[in-house]
Amino acid sequence: GLLLPNAAATALAFFGLHVFGRVPAMLNYTVGSQGMVSACGTAKIRRIYTSRRFIEAAKLEEAVAKLETAAVIVYLEDLRERVSFGDKLRGALFARFAGLVRRRLSGNAGPDDPAVVLFTSGSEGTPKGVVLSHANLLANREQIAARIAFSAQDVILNALPLFHSFGLTAGTLLPILAGMR
C-alpha cells in the first residue's frame, strides 16, 4: 500500500514497486482510518509505505495507529537512512539497463497483468478495490493524449491526489511518459 501525498517520492515508489513485481495499492487517506483498514483487508495489503512528514502534516497519526493493526508501516525516511553507497551505485547501474533489470526482477509483467489497485470513495458504503491493468492505465493515458496535444515542452500541475484515477493517469502517468515537467 502507498499512503503518500502528490510528490516525486510517490511516483518513484509507484514505479519502484513495479520493478520488483509488486502491485501498488493507492490508499485514499480522505476516507478515514476505518476505510483504509477496510481497503487493506480488501486488497490483502500487508505493508504500507508512507512518510512521517506526510503523516504529521496531514494529521493522520491516529489513522496510522489503526492501520498498524492491519499492516506493517514502513516510513520512507527510515529506508533513506539504510541506503548505502553500494545501493546508490547499483541503482545507477540499474537505471542504465532499466529494461533488462525490470524483466529480470518483475517477472516480465504483461499488459493484462494488474498494475495498480485504486479504491472507490466509499460514498455508498465500504470502499471497493478496482484493479487496473497496465493496458488499462496506458489506454486511459492515450485517450487523454488523443484529445489534447501534449509534448515534452509542456508543464503540468497535478492537483488531484494519486489515489484518484484521473490524478494517477492524467496528472502523473501522462506527463511522465510524455517527458513533461
Side-chain angles (χ1 to χ4, degrees):
L2 291 180
L3 179 60
L4 293 164
N6 285 18
T10 308
L12 291 171
F14 178 84
F15 288 117
L17 288 170
H18 282 132
V19 168
F20 291 96
R22 301 289 190 252
V23 178
M26 309 303 283
L27 292 174
N28 178 347
Y29 45 86
T30 68
V31 298
S33 59
Q34 191 64 28
M36 288 190 287
V37 168
S38 173
C40 287
T42 299
K44 296 181 174 59
I45 297 170
R46 295 184 308 247
R47 183 165 298 170
I48 297 169
Y49 294 93
T50 190
S51 161
R52 282 190 178 85
R53 186 172 171 200
F54 169 63
I55 297 303
E56 289 174 22
K59 298 180 179 15
L60 293 171
E61 294 90 349
E62 287 182 32
V64 169
K66 290 182 181 169
L67 280 171
E68 287 178 317
T69 65
V72 173
I73 306 296
V74 179
Y75 293 98
L76 296 182
E77 294 91 341
D78 296 344
L79 292 178
R80 182 178 52 216
E81 291 175 9
R82 295 186 351 216
V83 176
S84 68
F85 177 75
D87 293 329
K88 292 175 184 178
L89 184 59
R90 187 172 32 259
L93 287 171
F94 280 9
R96 181 88 170 116
F97 303 100
L100 176 65
V101 170
R102 185 197 55 81
R103 283 190 294 278
R104 284 192 86 199
L105 294 177
S106 71
N108 206 15
D112 295 324
D113 290 333
V116 68
V117 179
L118 300 178
F119 295 93
T120 63
S121 64
S123 58
E124 296 179 14
T126 305
K128 294 162 189 65
V130 179
V131 179
L132 297 174
S133 69
H134 296 279
N136 293 144
L137 292 177
L138 292 176
N140 290 344
R141 177 199 174 277
E142 289 300 322
Q143 288 171 346
I144 298 162
R147 303 306 310 152
I148 303 168
F150 291 103
S151 75
Q153 284 71 46
D154 294 317
V155 177
I156 191 165
L157 170 66
N158 182 17
L160 291 170
L162 295 183
F163 59 73
H164 187 278
S165 62
F166 205 68
L168 180 63
T169 56
T172 305
L173 297 179
L174 173 79
I176 288 174
L177 297 176
M180 297 166 61
R181 291 185 295 142

